[in-house]
Amino acid sequence: MNFHQLHIFYTVAERGSFSAAASALHMTQPAVTMQIQSLEEYFGTRLLIRSTKKIELTEAGITLLPYAAKSIALVKETDNAMASHTHMLQDRLQLGSSHTIGEYFLPRLLGPFGQQYPHISIMMKVMNTTQIIEEITKHQLNFGLIEATIHHPDMVIDPVMQDELKLIVPIGHPLAERESVELEEVLAYPFVLREKGSGTRQVMESVLIHKGIDPQSLQTAMELGSTGAVKSAVEAGFGITMLSPASVKHETALNLLTIIPIRDAEFKRQFYAIHLKSTLLPLSAVTFLNFLKQQQEQQGE
């Protein structure tokens, strides 16, 4: 018996068929069947009842299932415990990142990570959440980083970083000289917004709804498909917006845009890492995600 066999058994039991487990594990169906047979030979008993419809667990399989789950959890816990001690890992991580995270958060963290773990190379694709999920399920990415939680039966969702949207206005705007404003004052001006479905837009609208404000009541000057386009439109005077301060560092330094705190509303959001439940992340990926969490903790101190 080995851990690999327990992992396969757990995935077959969870997915309900050899074919579904093979797809999730990126294996051939005969290879999955062979490993289950080896496990059954080791224990000297049947673990699964094979039928034309769905796999069912025998009494022995039902007994084994929680132990298989514990073994998987223990391996994950072990990787987390050892991640901070591994500095000579050699691996190539393939990850997907949503636009705000990939364009404005990760670039400043990849340098320090590379210095600490020089033998881990990272290949990052910046794309939307739907594309990230699709590529993870096809085993083309190890994991993804997204801006809003999702509900997906095959995914593990793990919080890794936090952010807070702030009011962004152009220099010369009536609010630009204010130290802070009330939310009601802000609603009197036209907005330049990200497209519907973006993580930034979702966070903004959920806070407004919580405050009893219908997002449809906003004066929307335009909706744009990228943060860069939103910033350019705000600079040009088409309206104000809500963005992460990390995304406007360059513009605020050049005195093109300014950040105004809203006193009576907080637009906080959580960033998440996602990966397949059926896939154990490589130790290098665990190390990278722990690094992100540590950076977040240090910023909060």
Side-chain angles (χ1 to χ4, degrees):
M1 180 183 66
N2 57 50
F3 170 74
H4 184 55
Q5 291 170 338
L6 288 176
H7 186 211
I8 292 172
F9 165 74
Y10 179 84
T11 306
V12 171
E14 184 184 47
R15 296 303 179 105
S17 74
F18 285 89
S19 59
S23 176
L25 294 167
H26 213 46
M27 297 172 63
T28 64
Q29 188 169 332
V32 170
T33 301
M34 183 180 69
Q35 292 298 328
I36 294 297
Q37 288 173 345
S38 296
L39 196 60
E40 290 179 326
E41 289 174 6
Y42 175 83
F43 287 115
T45 186
R46 295 281 295 276
L47 299 172
L48 301 167
I49 300 172
R50 300 154 176 83
S51 66
T52 55
K53 293 184 179 179
K54 190 175 182 179
I55 293 295
E56 294 182 7
L57 296 176
T58 64
E59 185 175 346
I62 293 172
T63 300
L64 179 61
L65 186 61
Y67 291 97
K70 286 180 182 179
S71 71
I72 294 170
L74 182 58
V75 168
K76 292 180 179 179
E77 185 179 341
T78 303
D79 281 347
N80 276 314
M82 294 303 298
S84 61
H85 300 286
T86 53
H87 296 282
M88 297 300 291
L89 282 174
Q90 296 188 21
D91 204 353
R92 183 170 184 262
L93 288 181
Q94 295 178 303
L95 67 99
S97 173
S98 64
H99 290 275
T100 297
I101 299 174
E103 292 173 5
Y104 302 108
F105 281 83
L106 287 188
R108 61 183 172 83
L109 297 175
L110 292 180
F113 180 80
Q115 292 175 353
Q116 193 168 343
Y117 301 95
H119 302 290
I120 299 178
S121 61
I122 295 179
M123 188 281 289
M124 180 176 67
K125 293 183 178 180
V126 178
M127 56 184 70
N128 63 40
T129 299
T130 301
Q131 292 171 320
I132 291 172
I133 292 172
E134 182 179 352
E135 296 219 5
I136 290 175
T137 55
K138 291 180 179 179
H139 298 273
Q140 294 174 350
L141 297 174
N142 296 119
F143 63 94
L145 296 170
I146 60 175
E147 299 168 36
T149 188
I150 60 169
H151 302 283
H152 193 290
D154 298 329
M155 293 286 172
V156 173
I157 297 101
D158 184 26
V160 288
M161 296 184 291
Q162 290 182 329
D163 183 36
E164 183 175 1
L165 302 181
K166 296 287 187 178
L167 178 66
I168 310 298
V169 305
I171 298 300
H173 189 275
L175 298 177
E177 300 301 323
R178 298 279 297 277
E179 292 187 2
S180 63
V181 294
E182 298 284 341
L183 181 58
E184 186 176 351
E185 298 177 79
V186 174
L187 301 179
Y189 296 93
F191 273 82
V192 178
L193 300 176
R194 282 290 305 273
E195 78 284 6
K196 292 181 180 179
S198 76
T200 300
R201 178 79 171 261
Q202 289 175 13
V203 170
M204 179 181 175
E205 291 186 346
S206 65
V207 173
L208 291 177
I209 291 171
H210 181 72
K211 289 285 186 179
I213 299 168
D214 182 1
Q216 299 295 327
S217 66
L218 291 179
Q219 300 180 50
T220 304
M222 58 181 68
E223 298 180 2
L224 300 171
S226 73
T227 298
V230 170
K231 292 191 295 182
S232 295
V234 173
E235 285 179 33
F238 287 101
I240 60 178
T241 193
M242 299 290 299
L243 291 175
S244 168
S247 68
V248 294
K249 284 186 175 181
H250 179 71
E251 290 78 11
T252 53
L254 293 177
N255 204 32
L256 299 171
L257 299 174
T258 188
I259 301 170
I260 311 295
I262 299 177
R263 289 192 293 270
D264 56 341
E266 291 184 333
F267 293 81
K268 292 184 177 181
R269 61 177 171 178
Q270 181 75 56
F271 294 156
Y272 299 89
I274 59 173
H275 70 272
L276 284 173
K277 290 179 180 178
S278 58
T279 301
L280 291 177
L281 286 175
L283 183 56
S284 54
V286 175
T287 300
F288 181 69
L289 293 176
N290 283 349
F291 175 84
L292 296 184
K293 293 177 183 179
Q294 290 168 4
Q295 294 298 308
Q296 180 69 52
E297 290 172 1
Q298 290 172 8
Q299 289 179 7
E301 293 177 354

